[in-house]
Amino acid sequence: MTVLITGSSRGIGAQIARGFARKGYSVALNCSKSEESAQRLCARLREEYGISCGVFRADVSDSAEVKRMFGEIRESLGEVEVLINNAGISTQRLFTDITDDEWRRTVGVILDGAFYCSREALPAMIRKKSGVIINISSMWGEVGASCEVHYSAAKAGLIGLTKALAKEVAPSGVRVNCVTPGVIMTDMMKGFDRETTEELRLETPLERLGAPEDVAQAVLFLAGEGSGFITGQVLGVNGGFVI
Ligand code: NDP
C-alpha cells in the first residue's frame, strides 16, 4: 500500500508518516521548502522500518506541481492508495489587515491543495474501487478563530469538501474523512508566547496540549480496516476543547 502525506517534512505530517511506515506502507513524503528535513526523515524511515520511501517536493497550491508530483510517485512507489491532505500554513492577523496575497496563500495551500491532490489521486482509487482520503482540518474550522479568519475559512471549507466528496465517491468504494486537531505542539505554535500556550492548555478540558502522535493515531484508525464503515465524518482530536 502506498500513502502520500502532504506537508510531511515536519510536525504532524512527519509523525503520520512514521505511523504508516511502522505499519509497512510505502511512504511518499511531500514538502515545499524543508527538503533537507524530509530527506532525513525518509532515510530514517527506510532504515528503521525497511520500507520504500521517497521525498516529492511540490507546492500543493500549484496544480501543475501537484500533477508532476503524482507522476513521480506513480513511477517510483506506484499509485497512491491512501492520501493524507495535511499541508497547511497559518498566520495571525486582524481580519481587516489580511492582504489579498495572505488570503490566497492560506486558502491556496489548505483548500486548493486538498482539491488538487484529491483530484489526482481519485481516478486510480475509483478504478480500483478502494481508497482512503483523510483531510487534516482544524477545530478552528468548526468553531472559528478570532484573528485567523482566513485560516478558519479554509479549514471550514475542508470540512465541506470532505462531506461532499465522501457522498460522491462512496459508491466507488472510496472513503473520505476529516480530522480536526486542537492545539498540537509543532512549529505552527511557535508564534504563540508561553503565556498564551499555557492559557490554551488550561482551556483544554484534558489539561494538556496535543502531540503530533495524538493526531497520527486518529489518522491511522481512519485509514485502517477498523473504520471501514466510516465516511464523511469529522473526528475531533482536541482534548475536549470543542465539544
Ligand atoms: P507545521 O508548520 O509544523 O508543518 C507544516 C507542514 O506543511 C510542513 O511539512 C510544510 O513543509 C508543509 N507545507 C506548508 N506549505 C506547503 C505547501 N505549499 N506545499 C506542500 N507542503 C507545505 O504544521 P503542523 O504540523 O502543526 O500542521 C499540520 C496540519 O495540521 C496543518 O494543516 C495545520 O493547519 C493542521 N493543524 C495544526 C494544529 C496545531 O496546533 N499544530 C491544529 C489544527 C490543525 P515545508 O516546510 O516544506 O513548506
Side-chain angles (χ1 to χ4, degrees), residues 154-172:
K155 291 297 191 182
L158 207 44
I159 294 174
L161 184 155
T162 301
K163 293 181 179 180
L165 185 61
K167 279 187 188 166
E168 184 171 322
V169 298
S172 304

Side-chain angles (χ1 to χ4, degrees), residues 4-7 30 56 58-70 73-74 79-87 108-125 132-135 158 161 165:
L4 164 64
I5 306 113
T6 67
N30 156 257
F56 303 89
D59 176 345
V60 294
S61 70
D62 182 324
S63 65
E65 288 197 19
V66 168
K67 200 174 183 52
R68 175 192 41 79
M69 171 175 72
F70 269 80
I73 297 172
R74 206 169 287 129
E79 294 287 2
V80 171
E81 292 155 296
V82 176
L83 167 65
I84 315 298
N85 287 312
N86 167 77
V109 175
I110 293 172
L111 198 49
D112 297 2
F115 164 52
Y116 297 145
C117 290
S118 304
R119 191 175 59 178
E120 285 301 320
L122 271 165
M125 292 182 177
V132 171
I133 297 176
I134 299 169
N135 297 318
L158 207 44
L161 184 155
L165 185 61

Side-chain angles (χ1 to χ4, degrees), residues 42-62:
C42 186
R44 271 205 308 276
L45 295 183
R46 281 191 189 130
E47 198 183 304
E48 283 177 37
Y49 303 105
I51 56 146
S52 302
C53 185
V55 175
F56 303 89
R57 210 207 60 75
D59 176 345
V60 294
S61 70
D62 182 324

Side-chain angles (χ1 to χ4, degrees), residues 7-8 39 41 58 70 78 104 119 123 125 128 131 181 205 207 222 236:
S8 44
Q39 290 292 0
L41 174 64
F70 269 80
R104 279 198 211 98
R119 191 175 59 178
M125 292 182 177
K128 222 179 143 194
E207 292 184 352
L222 287 174

Side-chain angles (χ1 to χ4, degrees), residues 7 9-10 12 32-34 59-60 86 137 151 155 182 184 186:
S9 49
R10 49 202 171 83
I12 293 170
S32 63
K33 297 186 199 114
S34 320
D59 176 345
V60 294
N86 167 77
S137 175
Y151 182 76
K155 291 297 191 182
I184 311 293
T186 66

Side-chain angles (χ1 to χ4, degrees), residues 10 18 29 33 52 121 144 147 176 189 192 200 211 215 229 232 242:
R10 49 202 171 83
R18 184 168 282 281
L29 300 173
K33 297 186 199 114
S52 302
C147 296
V176 187
M189 292 299 297
F192 294 86
L200 288 167
V215 182
F229 201 47
V242 172

